[in-house]
Amino acid sequence: MDMLIALLPALFLGSNSVITAKIDGKPSQGTLGTTIGAVIFAVLVSVFYTVPNAGLAFAFNPRIWLVGLCSGVFWTIGSFGQFSALKPLGVSMAMPISTAGQVVGNALLAAIVLGQWRTLNVWVIGVIAIILVTSGAVLCSAKDSAADARRISAKDMRFGLGALLFSTIGFMLYFIFPNLLHHTGFISDAIYNAPSGNGLYYMTAVILPQSIGQIITALAIVNFVERDRTLILHRKTALNIITGLLWAVGNMLIFVSAANPHVGQAIATTFSQLGVIVSTYGGIVVLHEHKTKRQMAGILLGTLLIVAGAVLMGLYTTT
């Protein structure tokens, strides 16, 4: 059951980028709409689960709120960068590249900084799993030299890759921050492990301040980067609330899995990145992104490698 819960975010997060691209708004509209949906979901979780079960003092613990706010800021930076890359590169190219960066970064941060890989065997298997997932993501995003040269200009490629680098750093910090602050002692074991060693109260409490950090940063991007406040009340911003609700469900499941001692940060984040399969095929089927026979062969092989890497990670690096 623990591994099934860890796998579910892939479905919610993978469909997120496809829906956002289908809505076809600006990156700030996708980011802002998503954060509004995240706030709605977080308020519902807090009112109907965290406060009744963990108590008001726990749900509004200042340290939990500081962790959540910072995590939310990092997520918004990552999301804006990712949405910025969707148009110049296309969903079926941008998302696999984004996935590769996040898998490598988050798994290694969990292994090195959080110390979740404690034996040589786990390290060897974990590195092999990272290589498989990354290779699969690269194959899924491979260009056809002749066809894509005409479709994606060098300028768009540079901008898209730069946006994804920016995005990956933001997402890495967003993922690791709640666990990192526990690892450093800022969040006590009693808070982190409540109610029964699985971190359920802590991770559900984090998502409300996290969503507040997200929406504050998203509004700052609209005001100071886009400099267009009309985007706040735009129809495409409102439509992206749907993506926010989907993302919020997946996000909560990721953090619950990351705190679970039977899963851990490396597995939770790697499994969540299986959403690249949903987004890659969604980009082709729903958004009608053209792929040559050579690219489709790469995508099929890449899919197999991604799944193989995730299974290896789940079976043999469990803490």
Side-chain angles (χ1 to χ4, degrees):
M1 180 59 72
D2 292 329
M3 291 300 171
L4 177 61
I5 292 173
L7 281 168
L8 285 176
L11 178 62
F12 293 103
L13 302 184
S15 58
N16 185 288
S17 58
V18 177
I19 295 172
T20 299
K22 187 71 174 177
I23 293 170
D24 194 31
K26 291 186 175 182
S28 56
Q29 290 174 310
T31 301
L32 181 57
T34 300
T35 61
I36 294 171
V39 170
I40 293 170
F41 180 82
V43 168
L44 292 174
V45 170
S46 182
V47 169
F48 292 105
Y49 179 79
T50 312
V51 172
N53 288 281
L56 197 64
F58 190 99
F60 289 90
N61 182 298
R63 295 198 173 202
I64 292 177
W65 270 72
L66 180 60
V67 171
L69 286 168
C70 292
S71 176
V73 170
F74 294 139
W75 178 87
T76 307
I77 292 170
S79 177
F80 183 72
Q82 189 178 78
F83 286 152
S84 296
L86 294 183
K87 282 189 177 181
L89 298 183
V91 172
S92 56
M93 177 178 288
M95 292 309 295
I97 296 173
S98 179
T99 293
Q102 290 180 59
V103 166
V104 173
N106 283 303
L108 292 180
L109 282 175
I112 298 169
V113 179
L114 301 181
Q116 292 183 349
W117 293 357
R118 298 188 178 94
T119 68
L120 179 60
N121 286 342
V122 170
W123 265 97
V124 170
I125 293 170
V127 170
I128 292 172
I130 289 173
I131 292 171
L132 287 173
V133 174
T134 304
S135 299
V138 170
L139 283 171
C140 285
S141 63
K143 296 190 298 177
D144 180 88
S145 56
D148 285 337
R150 295 190 296 270
R151 293 189 181 91
I152 303 177
S153 67
K155 180 181 178 181
D156 282 345
M157 181 62 73
R158 286 194 300 271
F159 177 84
L161 292 178
L164 288 178
L165 176 61
F166 188 71
S167 167
T168 299
I169 294 171
F171 279 143
M172 283 167 55
L173 293 172
Y174 135 77
F175 269 130
I176 200 173
F177 207 69
N179 280 324
L180 179 63
L181 269 289
H182 166 247
H183 188 71
T184 61
F186 183 79
I187 298 294
S188 69
D189 288 341
I191 291 175
Y192 184 83
N193 293 322
S196 55
N198 59 8
L200 193 58
Y201 290 168
Y202 172 57
M203 289 306 184
T204 53
V206 159
I207 66 172
L208 180 57
Q210 185 185 69
S211 68
I212 301 300
Q214 289 171 316
I215 198 165
I216 290 172
T217 311
L219 287 170
I221 288 173
V222 169
N223 278 285
F224 301 112
V225 178
E226 296 284 359
R227 297 182 180 180
D228 185 358
R229 294 182 183 179
T230 62
L231 297 175
I232 297 173
L233 300 177
H234 198 279
R235 174 177 170 272
K236 290 184 178 180
T237 301
L239 288 173
N240 272 295
I241 294 175
I242 299 170
T243 67
L245 293 171
L246 290 172
W247 175 87
V249 175
N251 175 64
M252 184 181 71
L253 293 175
I254 291 173
F255 278 95
V256 167
S257 296
N260 189 331
H262 299 295
V263 182
Q265 176 93 19
I267 293 174
T269 53
T270 300
F271 275 17
S272 72
Q273 296 307 317
L274 288 175
V276 69
I277 297 173
V278 178
S279 60
T280 299
Y281 288 97
I284 295 168
V285 176
V286 178
L287 304 176
H288 308 294
E289 294 179 354
H290 174 75
K291 297 294 175 184
T292 64
K293 289 182 179 180
R294 178 185 173 187
Q295 287 175 304
M296 283 306 302
I299 288 170
L300 291 172
L301 177 57
T303 300
L304 293 175
L305 291 177
I306 290 170
V307 172
V311 169
L312 195 63
M313 180 81 74
L315 290 178
Y316 298 106
T317 66
T318 308
T319 55

